Amino acid sequence: MNIVSGLLNTAILSGGVLALAGLGELLAERVGVLNLGVEGLMALGAVTAIATVAATHDPYIGFLAALAVGAVAGSLFAVATVLARASQVLCGMALTMGGLGLAATIGRTYAGQPAAATFEALPIPLLDRLPIIGPALFDQNILVYLTYLILPFVLQALLFRTRHGLTLRAIGENPAACDAAGIRVIPLRFIYVVLGAAVSASAGAYLTLGFVPSWSDGVTAGRGWIAVALVIFAGYRPWRIVGGALLFGLVNALGYLAQARNWGIPSAFLSMLPYLVTMLFMILPALLARGRFTLSAPAALGVPYYRDQR
């Protein structure tokens, strides 16, 4: 594998973690709920996957376990924010801190140990032999195909090609009007917050079973926060999230390449480069919103809905 193909391969693997976490966050934000607990959800998913695989030696069961744990944590978050109408920001921060702390406690047993089983590459015949792009694009594990080829198509079709997707977007814009039209706002918000949390937690399983095959405290390394920023930068659209994730992945891959090739760039700068890019992407939406690139958030994002006040 040459340098370009290796760089692209690392970018795809690294970006997939962010893409999966961002698509999960998108599900919650499209119905008007801001979930800042993505970092904690990813940590819980990562350690759950490692612990489950250690017991079962089956990465598929580990991935499903991460989804289940994410759904449970998302249900608690939804009860607090959707039903009890607590502050979404504070609950999200609590989910992040609690998730990180619980994952660190559970993960002590598995720290530094390689994953007992991981997702193996599934090459696509003929396509994997294409020069440069073949090994990078078509010789990946099933989670990469799920993240880049299946889930974005499904979410794009759901949100922008179906009546149900129109309903979800309307709930994020004007829940009172939806309620007046007979749409069950609270149940739908609850369901999609839970689904989004499950998908975000599965990004942690992707991290420890498909990208970095081991657990260590802090393995998520702020990726959850980058995923939240990525959703904003992407204008709350699935394919833009995937494209932005690839860009972040490329930044990470360049950092790895610079260290491996000894380019003389300080390692501290390479480590903080993804976060500098994140800050830049938080500023860009304000500038791009003046043009044709629509970046406006759902109007009701972060606002609790009180049915008696509609």
Side-chain angles (χ1 to χ4, degrees):
M1 185 181 293
N2 59 37
I3 295 178
V4 176
S5 184
L7 185 68
L8 184 58
N9 180 71
T10 303
I12 289 173
L13 284 172
S14 177
V17 179
L18 297 174
L20 199 54
L23 291 173
E25 177 67 8
L26 174 70
L27 287 173
E29 294 200 16
R30 272 296 182 179
V31 292
V33 178
L34 177 64
N35 185 355
L36 296 181
V38 178
E39 182 80 2
L41 289 168
M42 288 180 65
L44 287 173
V47 75
T48 297
I50 285 290
T52 304
V53 165
T56 65
H57 295 270
D58 190 329
Y60 292 92
I61 296 178
F63 186 77
L64 292 176
L67 281 170
V69 167
V72 171
S75 296
L76 296 175
F77 177 78
V79 167
T81 57
V82 178
L83 300 184
R85 303 180 184 89
S87 168
Q88 295 176 16
V89 173
L90 293 179
C91 289
M93 294 297 294
L95 180 56
T96 286
M97 301 304 293
L100 289 173
L102 182 58
T105 301
I106 297 173
R108 288 174 184 169
T109 305
Y110 310 97
Q113 300 179 13
T118 59
F119 286 97
E120 300 295 334
L122 298 174
I124 299 177
L126 299 180
L127 293 178
D128 66 320
R129 298 181 182 179
L130 293 173
I132 301 178
I133 66 172
L137 296 178
F138 304 112
D139 190 11
Q140 298 285 4
N141 63 66
I142 192 172
L143 296 184
V144 173
Y145 299 137
L146 172 68
T147 302
Y148 287 101
L149 301 180
I150 299 176
L151 196 55
F153 275 111
V154 171
L155 293 184
Q156 184 73 23
L158 172 68
L159 291 172
F160 300 102
R161 294 291 185 269
T162 66
R163 184 180 181 86
H164 183 69
L166 178 62
T167 298
L168 297 179
R169 289 186 285 128
I171 289 174
E173 296 291 340
N174 194 334
C178 292
D179 198 359
I183 296 171
R184 302 180 66 187
V185 173
I186 299 300
L188 283 174
R189 274 193 166 185
F190 193 101
I191 289 170
Y192 278 91
V193 166
V194 173
L195 286 176
V199 174
S200 293
S202 73
Y206 178 120
L207 179 63
T208 52
L209 298 182
F211 181 42
V212 182
S214 64
W215 162 264
S216 61
D217 189 13
V219 69
T220 53
R223 288 180 174 89
W225 298 110
I226 295 177
V228 174
L230 179 61
V231 175
I232 299 171
F233 169 75
Y236 306 88
R237 293 179 177 271
W239 280 111
R240 291 180 186 173
I241 290 176
V242 173
L246 271 175
L247 183 57
F248 277 112
L250 183 59
V251 172
N252 276 324
L254 284 171
Y256 298 145
L257 181 62
Q259 291 184 24
R261 293 280 172 170
N262 194 21
W263 286 354
I265 303 174
S267 59
F269 177 79
L270 293 174
S271 298
M272 74 178 183
L273 190 58
Y275 305 97
L276 288 176
V277 174
T278 301
M279 293 176 63
L280 176 63
F281 279 12
M282 293 298 290
I283 298 172
L284 276 178
L287 302 177
L288 294 175
R290 300 176 183 177
R292 296 181 180 180
F293 192 67
T294 303
L295 291 160
S296 56
L301 181 63
V303 181
Y305 175 59
Y306 295 86
R307 188 177 188 187
D308 54 348
Q309 294 181 3
R310 63 184 175 90

